[in-house]
Protein backbone atom coordinates (compact mmCIF):
# COMPACT_ATOMS: atom_id res chain seq x y z
CA UNK A 1 0.00 0.00 0.00
CA UNK A 2 1.20 3.48 -0.83
CA UNK A 3 -0.79 5.15 1.91
CA UNK A 4 -4.54 5.39 2.03
CA UNK A 5 -6.60 5.29 -1.14
CA UNK A 6 -8.00 8.57 -2.32
CA UNK A 7 -11.63 9.32 -1.65
CA UNK A 8 -13.61 8.42 -4.70
CA UNK A 9 -17.30 7.79 -5.21
CA UNK A 10 -17.48 4.44 -6.94
CA UNK A 11 -20.09 1.70 -6.92
CA UNK A 12 -18.71 -1.72 -6.17
CA UNK A 13 -20.72 -4.49 -7.81
CA UNK A 14 -19.65 -7.61 -5.98
CA UNK A 15 -22.04 -8.74 -3.25
CA UNK A 16 -20.03 -8.99 -0.07
CA UNK A 17 -20.57 -11.33 2.83
CA UNK A 18 -19.99 -9.60 6.14
CA UNK A 19 -19.95 -11.21 9.56
CA UNK A 20 -23.13 -10.25 11.39
CA UNK A 21 -23.94 -10.00 15.02
CA UNK A 22 -26.97 -8.87 16.97
CA UNK A 23 -26.22 -6.34 19.67
CA UNK A 24 -28.47 -5.03 22.37
CA UNK A 25 -31.59 -6.47 23.90
CA UNK A 26 -35.33 -6.04 23.93
CA UNK A 27 -36.52 -3.38 21.54
CA UNK A 28 -33.09 -1.85 21.27
CA UNK A 29 -31.33 -4.31 19.04
CA UNK A 30 -28.98 -3.53 16.21
CA UNK A 31 -27.48 -5.61 13.48
CA UNK A 32 -23.78 -5.00 13.23
CA UNK A 33 -21.89 -6.24 10.21
CA UNK A 34 -18.13 -6.35 10.05
CA UNK A 35 -15.88 -6.87 7.08
CA UNK A 36 -13.38 -5.18 4.85
CA UNK A 37 -14.11 -2.60 2.21
CA UNK A 38 -12.87 -4.15 -1.03
CA UNK A 39 -12.12 -0.77 -2.54
CA UNK A 40 -9.85 0.77 0.09
CA UNK A 41 -9.01 -2.41 2.00
CA UNK A 42 -9.84 -1.01 5.45
CA UNK A 43 -11.83 -2.88 8.08
CA UNK A 44 -15.27 -1.39 8.56
CA UNK A 45 -18.49 -2.01 10.39
CA UNK A 46 -21.98 -1.10 9.39
CA UNK A 47 -24.92 -0.85 11.77
CA UNK A 48 -28.57 -1.24 10.93
CA UNK A 49 -31.53 -1.02 13.21
CA UNK A 50 -33.04 -4.46 13.56
CA UNK A 51 -36.48 -2.99 13.12
CA UNK A 52 -36.78 -0.85 10.04
CA UNK A 53 -39.58 1.54 9.18
CA UNK A 54 -41.67 0.00 6.46
CA UNK A 55 -42.18 2.25 3.45
CA UNK A 56 -45.63 2.42 1.81
CA UNK A 57 -44.67 0.41 -1.25
CA UNK A 58 -43.17 -2.34 0.87
CA UNK A 59 -39.67 -3.03 1.90
CA UNK A 60 -37.50 -1.07 4.21
CA UNK A 61 -35.97 2.34 4.31
CA UNK A 62 -32.30 2.88 4.49
CA UNK A 63 -30.65 -0.35 3.63
CA UNK A 64 -32.14 -1.42 0.32
CA UNK A 65 -32.18 0.45 -2.93
CA UNK A 66 -35.12 -1.57 -4.18
CA UNK A 67 -37.78 -2.61 -1.67
CA UNK A 68 -37.82 -6.11 -3.05
CA UNK A 69 -34.09 -6.50 -3.22
CA UNK A 70 -32.35 -8.99 -1.01
CA UNK A 71 -29.19 -6.97 -1.34
CA UNK A 72 -28.45 -4.43 1.32
CA UNK A 73 -26.57 -1.33 0.51
CA UNK A 74 -24.13 0.84 2.38
CA UNK A 75 -21.38 3.26 1.72
CA UNK A 76 -17.90 2.47 2.96
CA UNK A 77 -17.81 3.31 6.67
CA UNK A 78 -14.14 2.69 7.36
CA UNK A 79 -12.07 4.89 9.63
CA UNK A 80 -9.27 5.32 7.12
CA UNK A 81 -8.27 8.79 6.07
CA UNK A 82 -9.32 9.11 2.46
CA UNK A 83 -8.97 12.56 0.97
CA UNK A 84 -10.36 14.73 -0.45
CA UNK A 85 -13.41 13.65 1.50
CA UNK A 86 -16.33 16.08 1.51
CA UNK A 87 -16.98 17.75 4.85
CA UNK A 88 -20.47 16.24 5.08
CA UNK A 89 -19.16 12.70 4.76
CA UNK A 90 -17.99 11.46 8.16
CA UNK A 91 -16.11 8.38 7.12
CA UNK A 92 -15.28 5.93 4.38
CA UNK A 93 -13.56 6.04 1.03
CA UNK A 94 -16.65 6.86 -1.03
CA UNK A 95 -17.31 3.34 -2.23
CA UNK A 96 -20.88 2.10 -2.51
CA UNK A 97 -21.03 -1.50 -1.32
CA UNK A 98 -23.55 -4.29 -1.74
CA UNK A 99 -23.99 -6.73 1.13
CA UNK A 100 -25.63 -10.10 1.32
CA UNK A 101 -28.37 -9.64 3.89
CA UNK A 102 -27.84 -11.21 7.28
CA UNK A 103 -30.33 -14.03 6.97
CA UNK A 104 -28.55 -15.14 3.85
CA UNK A 105 -25.15 -14.78 5.43
CA UNK A 106 -25.78 -15.79 9.02
CA UNK A 107 -29.38 -16.80 9.44
CA UNK A 108 -30.44 -13.65 11.25
CA UNK A 109 -32.08 -10.37 10.35
CA UNK A 110 -35.17 -9.29 8.56
ZN1 LIG B 1 -13.59 1.88 1.58
ZN1 LIG C 1 -10.79 2.93 3.95
Amino acid sequence: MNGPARYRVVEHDTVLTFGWELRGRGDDVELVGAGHCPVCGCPMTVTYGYYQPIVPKGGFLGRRHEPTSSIWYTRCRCEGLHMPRPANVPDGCGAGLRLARPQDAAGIGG
Side-chain angles (χ1 to χ4, degrees):
M1 292 276 289
N2 304 314
R6 290 179 63 79
Y7 183 91
R8 194 162 74 93
V9 174
V10 56
E11 301 304 319
H12 191 77
D13 282 339
T14 305
V15 177
L16 308 169
T17 301
F18 273 25
W20 294 94
E21 128 181 39
L22 274 175
R23 287 192 195 156
R25 61 182 62 158
D27 288 337
D28 191 22
V29 178
E30 294 177 329
L31 275 167
V32 181
H36 281 77
C37 171
V39 177
C40 67
C42 302
M44 60 171 274
T45 60
V46 58
T47 303
Y48 296 104
Y50 187 70
Y51 301 101
Q52 290 280 297
I54 296 175
V55 298
K57 288 178 183 169
F60 303 90
L61 281 174
R63 57 194 181 190
R64 297 176 194 174
H65 269 187
E66 304 284 334
T68 55
S69 174
S70 64
I71 303 299
W72 290 9
Y73 181 86
T74 184
R75 302 217 69 88
C76 176
R77 305 299 306 272
C78 80
E79 295 180 358
L81 184 62
H82 302 295
M83 300 302 287
R85 187 157 62 204
N88 62 343
V89 178
D91 48 22
C93 69
L97 306 176
R98 294 149 60 82
L99 306 177
R101 61 181 176 167
Q103 68 262 51
D104 293 343
I108 56 175

